[in-house]
Amino acid sequence: MSRSFTDLYVEVLQHYATQMQNLDEGKFEEYAQTFTENGEFQHTPGRPPAVGRQQIVEELHEFHRRFEDDPVQRRHWFDQVAVSADPDGAIRVSYYCLVVTTRPGQRVPQIAPSCTVRDVLVDEGGVLRNHSRVVDHDFVR
Ligand code: SDN
C-alpha cells in the first residue's frame, strides 16, 4: 500500500502509542501481538533476543519478576523518532527512549535507562508490526 510520508509517520507514532501503553499496563500478550509472528525483540544489550510472540511474552514476564514485591509504574517515553522507508517496503525507525519509574508515595521518579532504539516495521495488510526491535542502553559501552 502506498501512503504519503506524513501518513506513514503518523501511523508509526500511533503504533508506538498503543504498543507502549500495552507494555506499561502489563499487557504483554497485546504487546507481543504488535510484533510479526517471528518478530525479534532485544531490550537489553548482551541478552539474547526473544524470537516469536510466545518468547516475547515469556521474556517480559521474566524481566518483570524483579518488580513482584516492588510495585512500580514504568512508562517508556519515546522521542526524536526518525522514519525511513526502504524500497523493499521495510520501514526503519530510530529513536530515543527514557524509562520513567514511579513508586507509590515517591513524587520524584527514577529516569533510567536512557536508550536508543532501532526498529524494523512491516505493513501486514494495512497494520504496522515490528519485525525487529533492538534497544541499546547509553550506560552500556
Ligand atoms: O519495549 C521497549 C523497551 C523495553 O521493553 C525495555 C525493557 O527493559 C523491558 C521499547 C523501547 C525501549 C525499551 C527499553 C527497555 C528497557 C529495558 C531494561 C530496563 O528497564 O532496565
Side-chain angles (χ1 to χ4, degrees):
M1 185 180 107
S2 107
R3 30 159 108 73
S4 71
F5 181 77
T6 311
D7 285 351
L8 173 64
Y9 196 85
V10 170
E11 276 184 56
V12 169
L13 293 191
Q14 179 69 7
H15 166 70
Y16 288 156
T18 53
Q19 177 186 57
M20 299 311 288
Q21 287 186 27
N22 280 331
L23 180 66
D24 292 339
E25 286 169 19
K27 297 177 180 168
F28 302 147
E29 283 79 8
E30 283 87 338
Y31 178 84
Q33 285 300 323
T34 67
F35 283 69
T36 60
E37 217 174 302
N38 61 349
E40 292 199 21
F41 172 51
Q42 186 183 35
H43 62 72
T44 297
R47 225 176 145 110
V51 182
R53 290 176 181 150
Q54 190 54 40
Q55 275 190 23
I56 291 173
V57 172
E58 284 164 13
E59 173 61 26
L60 287 170
H61 278 297
E62 161 67 20
F63 177 81
H64 287 84
R65 218 160 273 148
R66 72 194 63 190
F67 300 119
E68 255 167 20
D69 301 318
D70 180 16
V72 292
Q73 177 62 64
R74 277 163 59 92
R75 296 197 196 280
H76 294 72
W77 289 87
F78 290 1
D79 210 342
Q80 274 79 8
V81 178
V83 176
S84 70
D86 280 5
D88 69 358
I91 301 152
R92 292 178 195 281
V93 192
S94 64
Y95 54 97
Y96 297 171
C97 173
L98 290 175
V99 183
V100 176
T101 303
T102 305
R103 292 181 166 79
Q106 290 186 2
R107 187 180 169 82
V108 181
Q110 176 190 58
I111 302 177
S114 168
C115 312
T116 55
V117 191
R118 285 166 289 145
D119 284 357
V120 177
L121 308 180
V122 291
D123 181 332
E124 291 190 330
V127 178
L128 292 183
R129 289 207 169 84
N130 274 74
H131 176 62
S132 64
R133 164 164 290 160
V134 178
V135 181
D136 287 309
H137 298 188
D138 290 341
F139 80 102
V140 181
R141 285 274 175 245

